[in-house]
Amino acid sequence: MAAVLAALGGETESSAPAATPPKRPARTTKQQPRRATKPSARAPRGTNRAAALRVLGERPGVSVGELSSVSGVKCPVLYALLSQLEERGEVVKRTLPNGTAGYSLPPTEFDAATADHTST
């Protein structure tokens, strides 16, 4: 073959440049244009805290799962929030009879005075 190419004035195999791999065909699927997305609307600062404290006032001893479903705050957020509130003394963590953790607001002086009057 090389002799034929040389006789015709073509290139020989040794002088021919290396063949380049074929190019991939362009994608045939249509790509959707990117839409301008609005930043998600965040709740004002303190909204999760207020929602959790409201539910804790209504339902003392509530579990994190129940607190999440009633308040609308997601569980991972609640665990961090309840930990902070417990450190500050705004929330009390207790072990419930079924072995899970329950949260409630700490007793106030008013609660203690009311309990004294009702027990006599």
Side-chain angles (χ1 to χ4, degrees):
M1 177 93 167
V4 174
L5 285 174
L8 293 174
E11 298 178 1
T12 62
E13 287 181 22
S14 60
S15 65
T20 58
K23 291 184 178 180
R24 286 185 161 181
R27 284 184 140 185
T28 57
T29 59
K30 292 182 180 179
Q31 292 182 353
Q32 296 292 327
R34 291 188 180 222
R35 294 184 212 154
T37 57
K38 288 195 270 183
S40 62
R42 291 187 61 147
R45 187 172 186 87
T47 303
N48 292 341
R49 179 182 177 277
L53 291 175
R54 178 184 49 80
V55 173
L56 289 171
E58 295 170 357
R59 301 180 183 199
V62 69
S63 68
V64 175
E66 187 179 353
L67 181 59
S68 175
S69 64
V70 175
S71 68
V73 181
K74 295 186 178 182
C75 283
V77 174
L78 278 176
Y79 282 113
L81 177 64
L82 290 170
S83 176
Q84 290 175 356
L85 293 175
E86 187 179 7
E87 286 177 11
R88 295 180 193 158
E90 296 181 55
V91 168
V92 177
K93 180 179 180 180
R94 294 194 174 97
T95 303
L96 300 176
N98 63 0
T100 61
Y103 294 88
S104 61
L105 298 177
T108 62
E109 292 177 23
F110 178 75
D111 294 336
T114 306
D116 289 340
H117 290 300
T118 58
S119 64
T120 56

